Amino acid sequence: HVQLVESGGGSVQAGGSLTLSCATSRNPGNNRALGWFRGDPEKEREGILERDGVASIASDGRTIYAGSVQGRFTISKDNAKEILYLHMNSLEPDDTGTYYCAARRPWSDTSLDFRLYAAWGQGTQVTVS
């Protein structure tokens, strides 16, 4: 059972940078795709479960990004430390949200569709003003 724990969120002014980290267990990055998503916990409490795909990385290191973050965000992983990262530059107010890391099932490819992910962290808040 893969466990994921995010950290690194905070408040930042527009144009600033943040790096999110996701500590994983059982080294999922070795054999499946991992991803970062942005959600709204208030909507989820109302029963609206929808998380926007931000970036995804395959076990071989291939990456995909949402168009809105292409060129500004970078997803990376350190398999030895079992940590997934999201480096965010040139942050904009629209980047505000709760960021979740997630893992697909084994031998899966990259995807920005949250419905394809099987394990999730608890989220970390990013606020850009």
Side-chain angles (χ1 to χ4, degrees):
H1 181 64
V2 173
Q3 293 185 319
L4 307 157
V5 180
E6 303 94 338
S7 60
S11 296
V12 64
Q13 290 188 336
S17 299
L18 278 176
T19 294
L20 305 183
S21 299
C22 175
T24 69
S25 68
R26 305 184 65 158
N27 216 345
N30 275 341
N31 65 359
R32 71 194 73 191
L34 305 175
W36 286 99
F37 293 80
R38 181 172 60 238
D40 186 337
E42 286 195 17
K43 288 186 178 178
E44 293 182 13
R45 282 192 288 271
E46 294 171 1
I48 304 171
L49 178 57
E50 184 170 348
R51 295 178 176 175
D52 296 327
V54 175
S56 178
I57 186 167
S59 57
D60 63 3
R62 287 174 297 109
T63 58
I64 59 172
Y65 295 92
S68 61
V69 307
Q70 184 80 45
R72 299 189 297 122
F73 291 12
T74 302
I75 187 172
S76 64
K77 59 179 178 170
D78 185 328
N79 283 341
K81 295 181 180 178
E82 301 186 37
I83 299 177
L84 177 70
Y85 299 100
L86 185 67
H87 308 278
M88 305 185 292
N89 296 318
S90 302
L91 282 160
E92 303 168 353
D94 284 348
D95 296 322
T96 294
T98 300
Y99 282 72
Y100 300 87
C101 64
R104 292 195 64 183
R105 289 186 171 82
W107 317 118
S108 54
D109 204 354
T110 56
S111 175
L112 297 180
D113 185 345
F114 77 96
R115 296 168 296 181
L116 299 180
Y117 284 74
W120 293 85
Q122 83 290 349
T124 185
Q125 178 67 30
V126 172
T127 303
V128 185
S129 59

